[in-house]
Each structure stands twice: as structure tokens, then as C-alpha cells.
Amino acid sequence: MKNRLVYMDNGATTPVREEVLEAMLPFLQDQYGNPSSLHTQGREVRRAIDEAREKTACVLGADPAEIFFTSGGTESNNLALRGTARKQASAGHIITSGIEHHAVLEVCHDLENEGHRVTYLPVDRFGRIDPAAVEAAIAPDTFLISIMAANNEVGTLQPILEIGTLAREHGILFHTDAVQVVGQRPVNVNDLPIDYLSLSAHKFNGPKGVGALYKRKGVKITPLYRGGSQERKLRPGTENVPGIIGLGQALELAAAEIPYKMEYLTSLRDQLIEGLLKIEDVILNGHPQERLPGNINVSFKYIEGESILLSLDLQGIAASSGSACSSGSLEPSHVLSAIGLDQQTAHGSIRFSLGRYNNEADIEYVLEKITPIVEKLRQISPLHKTD
Amino acid sequence: MKNRLVYMDNGATTPVREEVLEAMLPFLQDQYGNPSSLHTQGREVRRAIDEAREKTACVLGADPAEIFFTSGGTESNNLALRGTARKQASAGHIITSGIEHHAVLEVCHDLENEGHRVTYLPVDRFGRIDPAAVEAAIAPDTFLISIMAANNEVGTLQPILEIGTLAREHGILFHTDAVQVVGQRPVNVNDLPIDYLSLSAHKFNGPKGVGALYKRKGVKITPLYRGGSQERKLRPGTENVPGIIGLGQALELAAAEIPYKMEYLTSLRDQLIEGLLKIEDVILNGHPQERLPGNINVSFKYIEGESILLSLDLQGIAASSGSACSSGSLEPSHVLSAIGLDQQTAHGSIRFSLGRYNNEADIEYVLEKITPIVEKLRQISPLHKTD
Amino acid sequence: MYNEKVVDHFSNPCNVGELTDADSIGESGSFKCGDTMKIFIKVEDGRIENIKFQTYGCGAAIASSSMLTEMVKGKTLDEAMHITNQNVADELGGLPPLKLHCSNLAADALHNAIADYRRRLEPDYTD
Amino acid sequence: MYNEKVVDHFSNPCNVGELTDADSIGESGSFKCGDTMKIFIKVEDGRIENIKFQTYGCGAAIASSSMLTEMVKGKTLDEAMHITNQNVADELGGLPPLKLHCSNLAADALHNAIADYRRRLEPDYTD
Ligand SMILES: Cc1ncc(COP(=O)(O)O)c(C=O)c1O
Ligand SMILES: Cc1ncc(COP(=O)(O)O)c(C=O)c1O
């Protein structure tokens, strides 16, 4: 019997906003034309997609022709990295970090197999990449730097302005995986020397399975696959129309509330962090200030993450251990290892990620429930010395 | 002022069925968990995806582990072809036809650039591929045959049983692009020697932007892109949950009504064909019998397709000239050229594609409207001799 | 795709047909999309007294033909020679970029008709 | 993911803790996922008279520990030695395939405890 439901896994995915669903519905009902069709039904839908593209571009400070809709953050990352690598006349060098999402890291591994060299930069104990390390890593044949705007597990914001500036100074393309940041903090490609940026709708109260790649005009990439002429041939296939409409609507709404939401979530976040740190042997992972407004990542020593998650779940609290994608796996998260946590501490880490529907009562509820959970699991644990 | 709306472009896309939307809605509302999450909200959604996979598998006579959800037919084709090519130790030979969808043809062009050889088989004037030609084309290093189950423009069904049997006899993998057939005619991978099959939900009253690849157990392919472990790593990225649920539901419903719908559409189709052929200088493209139940493709001599489409559109009739994807282009369709139409006749071709919502009144309405349209455009045309 | 004016000219094209008593006939065609146009003119006192067209082509091609014939009726041959394809597209309120080449046909056919007329009937004419 | 019985044993695990008067203590651990388990047994007349456990690990590991201790309480050492990890998983009504290795810990720790006991107290014992 659950008392209530407190969803604190917004870093994994977010609920679709009602207004977003409303915007999508016509495209699951009457407006069913194929946007490539010449007839009225097709042209209406084409117009709606164009509008979604304009909204997306507007929020990012981009030109609509620089927005390419994809099936999500994973595809956007793959498209940017592989697409750029395939445009190179010969194998070259890529710089990324050791804490990127798998959708960047594993592509880099592939590219290594294809003959490119990749530098995986380390991070400090807060999860920050040092721009000086980026500069030091630049080789004469470095053609791409890919550094995420914020880490999905520990929430650390990266100095992408500095890194992008370095990239530009050296004539190197700069990609940022901004999946965790778009819709949460302002991102404007006019202020930032970014050549491409990945985003995913389901992280900002849009639908799952749709994302976008911003690609600065003039930057050339090879598509991942071929077919029709949709998305200017960069991403062929009949468009996920309701998804794209949902993305545009969700992004516009999210962008409008950023200033308010940042403040609101930051305050909730810090309350939760403060409360959690009152429990003995709890450490905060990630940077104390330079972190996503809604991200809280802590390690509970002596106990194991899944059992904490399960206990929370039994109280109606949804959180995650590590990233959603890797929580099915048994290995400690590569991010937590990279910030220097030993395996056991990494295994005891939990991410609470807040979203627009969380409130103070949620924070109180979590704090009320987590204390006895930790106590009980520690009682069971042979690692915890009670004396 | 339109009298009524008659949608006859179901080959381009179909309206989402109400029951399908209903099945999807919870996943755009309360059931928003990430299926990779361990908590209740995540597990509920995981279960729903598993069910959709089971439904899909059941309809195709496959095992759920043989179904991989994708973003549509285009991606499924790319995944099958590129994924297989990349598994080859060295460059080899592929057999396909000259009338495949661009999502097969253009991939083959890419694979040629990567060093493989591709045979593009010709078709007869009905658009049929001769199995004997397939056999004759087989080379010692042929590793893949890809032939569509039915053509999207002229509707011709291909002898995939014969071709698949040949492929198996020679130990060659066989892929079929069944995007136009699944949900319209029975397709069962137990009766057919198919190694992989592409399908797309929006062609059978499901949502746009979601499809599946059936891949027989044991057949190895390399993923197009990398990231999380979704779809057993063959197709990473947070799942298009509402899309997948919609696909499963739409396919189950479509499969159940196939026997009835085939008969119904075939009868409507033949009425429309009969009526159209009564107009002077009209020719039927594709095979008179061996064609998709809902496909009608005719050429109106002396007049041009777009002006016919536009005239139909002004009467509320939605049709297409050639395939939806290529109708934005100025070149005559590769399919119509392949069946031997001269450029002018090809330019005057129109596809009417019927779906479950069409009825006899629609057929009558189209026949009533098309005759004066053709007459008027011919009056304008300098190619038409009135004497 | 097309604006109302284009659709209007397409649906109810003006000056469709042949002129049996034409003074000159001009043709033009696009190899690329196969569009073909024929313009018939009747000239009187150096003015286009009557004009008709036949067009095989898309909506834009038909609408441009109709628009052009309306624009030049009653104009002098010199005035008509100055009408460009762009003028026709503009007068239609614009055409989709992909379709601009279709409006190119109309003025071309007219110019061919006029040039031919002058070659035959104006002894001091040089193209 | 977990069935009700597993969740129940996880939420209200039986026999948690240490036995200060244990006759033997057995440990086991998974290098892969870091799970660790300690089993304390009190033996009387060749029977497990009391048993307690401590577990660091996931839900499956904790539930298996609880289940196992319930299963073997009062059993002879021989009987207890015959209880396999699979028995524990079965008694729990099944575990997710990915989690089966966690239930492996429980029986292992118990067997270690018993083996150690016998090595020390049963002179004619050989593993
Ligand atoms: C930083 C980051 N990049 C990429 C992704 C992948 O996005 P998607 O799940 O939309 O493919 C995610 C989310 O899982 C993410 O957090
Ligand atoms: C035969 C065929 N293959 C592939 C596709 C591509 O499918 P999708 O638009 O879902 O990517 C289509 C539809 O356009 C098709 O008709």
C-alpha cells in the first residue's frame, strides 16, 4: 500500500505535459496526412512540422534550416559523431570525456575501431572537465570535440563556453550532448560556439522517441541512413509527426518557464541535498553548485543502490541508481568511477532528479522515508559497523 | 468549397485507428516511466512494450526475441541491409531489384561505394521480378537478396516465396521490405523463408515514426548506432513508447481483419480500375491481379500528374503521383520507368490507394469527379489532339 | 503549396485553346520535367489583340500560362517582350521555389511567338 | 521485476543480524556486483538451531538470504548442505534471470559456515 507517488526520476524521463499532448492529438486524429504528400492533408501536416521546427530553432537561437528531427538523443549523438567522422578524408583525432553518455562513448569506441584516435578526458572529483586539458589534448588532426553540456548522472555542468571557444580557435568542430540541459537551462547557439547540439523531447516533458540535432549551417555530415528526402536527406523516413509536434510544443513551453523553474528546482534540490547530508555517511556526488537545477546524486555508504531504490519504490518514490540506461547492468557506473568513487560507494549511489511537478511536500516525504530505509538496510549490511 | 473528403492515399500513410490511439494515450499520460527504470513506473512500461513485442511477433509467426522496434520502415531497411553488409568479412555481392523503395535502393548505392557489388534486377511490364533472374544473378559471394514484398507505387506483389526459397537453397540471406504488405495481406515467417522483414506502423493505421525489423534468430547484424541497451543493443535509445504500443495494437487489429479487408478492398479496387479504364487513353500500371488489395495506379495520357492531383485535391480527393516520397521531385518515378513507361506517360500517372475507411460511395465520387478533370486538362494540353 | 491566386488561375484558366487565325505560334518546353507550352497570338496594329495557350504541365505551369495571357492581352509587342517570367510569378503572388522553373515556360513561349512574328513580318527585325 | 514473495522477504527479512554465540560464520561474495553475505549459525544436536544473516546487496540478495535462513532453520546440517541456490530461488517463486547470481550467495555462505563448523568440530569430516 503506497501512501503517495513521488516521481523523482526526471533525469530518466519526464511526464508529457497536458498542453503538449493536446498539441499532439490532432496529429493522431484528423491531421493524418503524410507531410510529403502534395494534397491538402499532406500540406497541413508539412506546415505543422515547419512550425515545430521554427519553435525549436527559436528557442535555441538557431535558424530553422539548422534543426533536424531525429528519434531521440541517442540518434542525434550518433548522427553528429559518426556523420562527422565519415566526412573526414582520413582517420583523425577526436576529443571527448570519460563521463559522456553511452550514446557518445560507444560511438567513439566504434570510431576507434574504424581507425580514428579518441582521447577520453578525465574529470575532477566534482565531475568537471578542465578546459586546459582539452587544449592540451588537441592534436594537429583533431577534427571533433564532443563534450556534454551537463552530466546525466551527477548533474555536473561543463564549461562548454570555454571548450567551444578553444575548439573554434583551433578550427575544430564542437558537438555538445545537451540532452540534460535543453529545457532546464538557457542554451543559445548565438552565445555559444557550438557546431552541433543534441536534444531529446522526453527530457523536457515532451514525448519519448523524438529528438533533434542542431547543426550549424555549413557543417557537413554524412547521414546514418538513406531513403526519402525528409529532413533534407539527413534523416530520411516518414516523420514522427505527433512526436515532432510534441517536441516543438514542449520545448517552447519549457523554455518560457526556465527562469522560474531553475530557481524553483534549485531551491528544492538544495533542500533535499541538505536533508540527505544530515544522514550519517552520505556523500554528495557531482559539483555542489555547478549542477543541473533538478539533480541530486548521493552515495549512501555500506548499502547497495538497488535495495535502496526498491525500498523507495515500495514507498512510492521513483528514483534511479546511476543513469536509467545503465541501471539494468551490474557494473558500477562509469561516471561514478570517473569521479573517483570506489566500487562500493558507487554502488550505494542514488539519483533523485526533480521536475516541474515536484514540490516541497515531495522533498519532505522523501526525507521522511529515506532515513529509516537507510537505517534498516545498514542494519542488514555486514559492512556497517554499529557501535 | 469542398463537397467531401475522400482520402485515397493510404499507400503514403493511413489514419490512426481510434482503438490504437486509445491504447497509446495512457503512455502519453500516466504511464510515463522510462522502460529502463527499475521502479514501478518503469516496470509497468517495460511490460507494455513486451506485450507489444509479443503481439507483433504473434502476427508474424515470429518469436518476440526476433522483433526489433525502429523509427519506421526506412530505418528497418537500413538496419537490415547495412547491418548485414557490415558483418561481412570482405566486400561481396547483393541482389535487389530496380523498383525497391529509396530506403533500399539508396542504401545499395552506398554499399556499392563501400566496395560491394549490387545487381539491380529488372522487372517485366507488370512490375514483376522473375525468380529465374534472381537465380541467374547469384554469384559465389552473394550474401544478401533484398526484394520487396509488394511495390509501393504500382502495387505489384513479388514472388517472395520463390525468391526466398532460392536464397535459402544457396545459403544467402533474404530480406524483404514488407512495409506495404504487413497489415494488408497475411505474412507469416513460418511459411516464408524470410530472414528479415521491414514493417512500418503508419501503413496499417498505426502512428508515424515507428516500425519494426523482424530478424530471424541467429542472423547477425551490426547496429546502425550505439548507446543504451534498448532493443538488445540493436537499436539503442529511449523507446518511442506510445509509438510501439500503437504499433502493436494496430498490427493486431489489422491482422484480425485481413481476410475481410482484402476482399473488401479488392472489390473496391477493381470497381475503381474498371471505371477509370472507361476513360479514353488511360492505362493501368502494375499487375492486373497480383497487386495490393488497395492499390490502383493508372496513367492518364497527355496530361500531367501534379495538375491532376491538384484538381483532385480541389474536389477533396487525396491521391498521389508516384510514391509520396518522390512526388516532391521532378524526375519520373524509377518504378514507372522500370516497367517501361515513357516519360510522358509516367508523368501522367496517379496512385489511388484505398484503406479501411473507404467505401463504394468514395469510388463513385472519384469516378464522377475524375472524368471532367481529365477532360478539362486534356483540353488545355497541346499534346492531346481533339478531332 | 500554391496561393489562392495560383489555384484560381489553375482552376479557371483564361485564354485556353488554339487560335485558328493566329498570326504566330510560339512554343517552349522543359526537358527536365517534360512540361510543354504553346502560345497563339493574333496581332493588330502592333498590339496583341488576342492570345490563347495550351499547356501540358503542373499547376504552376498552367496558372502561369493563364496569368501571362491576361497580362499581355492588348499590350504592344514591345511591351510584351519586356514581360519576364519573374513578372508572371510576381503577378501570381509568388510560386514555390521548386516550381519557379515552370513559370519560365510561359514568357519563353510568348517571346518565341513574337520573335517569329517579327522575323516574318517586320523586315528590319533582328533578334 | 520481483514477485510478491521476494518483495515480502526483502521488506520484512527474517533472521537479520549477528549471532553473538554463533558456532560458525560463513561468508560469500560476488566480485562482479560487490554483493557480500555473512551467515551465522548456532548448531545443536547436528541441527541448525538458530541462524542469522547480514547482507550487502540488491533486493534479490536480501530476499534470498531471508528465504534461505527460513528454509534451513531446524534442519540437520546434512539437509542444509543439500539446499541449493536454485532451491532458494524456487522457494521464492523465481527471480529475474539477471538476478539469479545474487541468490547464489545465500546458499554459498551457509555451506561455507557448515563446512567450517564441521572442519572444526567433526574430526572425520572431509570437504
Ligand atoms: C546526456 C544524455 N545523452 C543522451 C541520452 C539519450 O537520449 P534518448 O534516450 O532520447 O535516446 C540521454 C538520456 O538517456 C542523456 O541523459
Ligand atoms: C515499400 C516501402 N518501404 C519503405 C517505406 C518507408 O517507410 P517509413 O516511411 O516508415 O520510413 C515505405 C513508405 O514510405 C514503403 O512504401
Side-chain angles (χ1 to χ4, degrees), chain D residues 1-122:
Chain D
M1 173 170 59
Y2 295 134
N3 67 43
E4 249 176 71
K5 192 157 182 189
V6 176
V7 171
D8 207 50
H9 270 279
F10 167 76
S11 309
N12 304 297
C14 318
N15 310 308
V16 170
E18 301 179 81
L19 272 184
T20 40
D21 60 344
D23 289 318
S24 186
I25 303 173
E27 292 192 54
S28 67
S30 151
F31 181 74
K32 196 168 171 201
C33 62
D35 285 5
T36 311
M37 177 173 307
K38 233 170 160 170
I39 291 260
F40 304 79
I41 52 173
K42 177 84 195 147
V43 183
E44 214 153 279
D45 294 338
R47 285 186 186 272
I48 296 175
E49 195 251 345
N50 202 0
I51 182 165
K52 295 232 174 217
F53 79 90
Q54 288 185 320
T55 291
Y56 165 89
C58 63
I62 292 173
S64 309
S65 311
S66 166
M67 187 74 251
L68 173 89
T69 55
E70 280 292 280
M71 285 166 76
V72 300
K73 208 185 247 184
K75 289 252 176 352
T76 66
L77 294 186
D78 273 344
E79 285 165 349
M81 280 305 272
H82 281 103
I83 289 196
T84 63
N85 297 310
Q86 189 57 50
N87 295 149
V88 178
D90 290 348
E91 192 69 18
L92 280 169
L95 284 171
L98 213 71
K99 289 291 178 180
L100 270 177
H101 74 105
C102 304
S103 72
N104 287 349
L105 293 179
D108 288 357
L110 173 67
H111 296 167
N112 288 341
I114 296 174
D116 180 59
Y117 175 85
R118 290 184 153 173
R119 238 178 266 116
R120 285 186 287 108
L121 298 174
E122 297 181 2

Side-chain angles (χ1 to χ4, degrees), chain A residues 302-304 306-308 310-311 314 328-332 343-344 347-348 376-377 379-384 386, chain D residues 1-2 7 10-13 16 31-36 38 53-60 62 98-99 101:
Chain A
Y302 318 123
I303 56 181
E304 194 270 343
E306 198 229 79
S307 60
I308 308 174
L310 184 53
S311 305
L314 292 168
S329 105
L330 302 167
E331 260 133 67
Q343 181 171 320
Q344 217 168 70
H347 267 307
K376 180 177 162 194
L377 290 173
Q379 265 165 16
I380 301 178
S381 171
L383 310 177
H384 186 239
T386 33
Chain D
M1 173 170 59
Y2 295 134
V7 171
F10 167 76
S11 309
N12 304 297
V16 170
F31 181 74
K32 196 168 171 201
C33 62
D35 285 5
T36 311
K38 233 170 160 170
F53 79 90
Q54 288 185 320
T55 291
Y56 165 89
C58 63
I62 292 173
L98 213 71
K99 289 291 178 180
H101 74 105

